[in-house]
Amino acid sequence: MAERTLRLLVAKPGLDGHDRGAKIVARAFRDAGFEVIYTGLRQTPEQIVGTAIQEDVDAVTLSILSGAHNTLFPRVVNLLREKGAGDIPVFGGGIIPEDDIPGLKEAGVMEIFTPGTSTEVIVQWVKDNIKPQA
């Protein structure tokens, strides 16, 4: 039996009003053959987790520019755990200082992609690290 197509949620947490990067990544995921659900701008962690569970996604990717990544990314991870969906991996990117990345990974974020990372690198990382949920 063929492996099911990956379902990825691309989300913009917080008050960011700029979504060009998220849309570029979402398009790259789609072009790579993944199914993509895009939440749109200004989503709360609760909305993101609700959508992830409702849409039965294989991973959540977060895009942020506002500087609130140290609050919002771990909040999404913790809410997934609280809702019994802690097996859904979370990764993301945006304007995130290198010094903040170890803390985010410690909080349960699988990977962080910083500005300048090619969509090819991100897609390959997804192919290598994200598997369809059972």
Side-chain angles (χ1 to χ4, degrees):
M1 183 156 87
E3 198 169 84
R4 172 173 76 68
T5 301
L6 284 177
R7 290 174 58 86
L8 303 175
L9 179 68
V10 177
K12 289 288 298 179
L15 298 177
D16 279 355
H18 183 281
D19 63 350
R20 179 180 291 160
K23 287 180 177 178
I24 289 169
V25 169
R27 189 171 300 117
F29 289 161
R30 181 203 63 200
D31 291 349
F34 307 144
E35 185 176 346
V36 179
I37 297 99
Y38 175 62
T39 65
L41 293 167
R42 298 181 184 92
Q43 299 294 298
T44 66
E46 292 79 7
Q47 289 171 314
I48 293 166
V49 168
T51 301
I53 292 168
Q54 186 175 36
E55 294 289 345
D56 195 26
V57 299
D58 299 307
V60 173
T61 185
L62 303 171
S63 172
I64 196 160
L65 303 173
S66 69
H69 51 273
N70 286 328
T71 301
L72 296 172
F73 282 28
R75 179 77 177 134
V76 170
V77 171
N78 290 334
L79 282 170
L80 284 167
R81 290 175 182 156
E82 288 173 18
K83 301 288 186 184
D87 59 334
I88 299 175
V90 175
F91 64 98
I95 307 297
I96 299 173
E98 291 289 332
D99 290 347
D100 291 348
I101 293 173
L104 292 169
K105 288 185 175 183
E106 207 171 278
V109 179
M110 278 186 74
E111 189 60 83
I112 296 292
F113 298 98
T114 55
T117 304
S118 73
T119 54
E120 291 85 5
V121 166
I122 299 168
V123 166
Q124 190 59 54
W125 183 88
V126 170
K127 288 178 179 179
D128 292 344
N129 293 281
I130 305 299
K131 303 301 175 214
Q133 300 286 317

